[in-house]
Amino acid sequence: MIKFIEKFVEFIGWLQLFVFPLIFSTVLGVVLYFYNPFGYGLVFLILCVALGLGIGIWYANRVHRKEGAVNHLSTLLRMPELERDVNDAGIGKNIKSEKNLK
């Protein structure tokens, strides 16, 4: 059951990495389409979406193989300012283990 949850969370991370290039390229294609709807606009839209699909799959697989999607996303979303403040305050440095308490 734990493996299933782990794989599911990793898949959600993979989807997040895949969707960003797809959305970005689709928006670019729609802008190009509305700029020239009767000429090559539809061709540019289809090419941009196809390019976004390809880049999204390539990027998500690359990150998944190298470090894992969840690790990559958690690195992007962490707040180093908060970590620095906690380390400077000395929190967690003087914690005694259970052996020393006996």
Side-chain angles (χ1 to χ4, degrees):
M1 184 67 181
I2 299 294
K3 283 283 192 187
F4 173 74
I5 294 171
E6 183 180 331
K7 296 253 185 220
F8 181 73
V9 170
E10 191 71 25
F11 176 71
I12 296 297
W14 187 90
L15 276 179
Q16 289 177 346
L17 292 170
F18 163 73
V19 165
F20 176 73
L22 179 64
I23 290 175
F24 182 76
S25 66
T26 302
V27 168
L28 179 66
V30 167
V31 167
L32 291 173
Y33 174 74
F34 283 131
Y35 180 70
N36 189 6
F38 299 110
Y40 291 106
L42 185 60
V43 174
F44 285 138
L45 175 63
I46 293 170
L47 286 175
C48 285
V49 170
L51 186 66
L53 276 169
I55 291 174
I57 291 171
W58 172 78
Y59 179 66
N61 282 335
R62 183 174 151 252
V63 169
H64 177 70
R65 282 190 210 122
K66 275 191 167 186
E67 58 185 314
V70 174
N71 288 336
H72 180 73
L73 290 171
S74 64
T75 305
L76 292 176
L77 296 174
R78 72 186 179 109
M79 297 180 193
E81 298 86 19
L82 294 178
E83 291 175 7
R84 186 183 65 237
D85 292 342
V86 169
N87 291 336
D88 291 344
I91 297 174
K93 290 183 180 176
N94 295 323
I95 297 176
K96 295 181 180 178
S97 67
E98 290 182 19
K99 277 186 175 179
N100 294 335
L101 293 176
K102 291 182 181 179

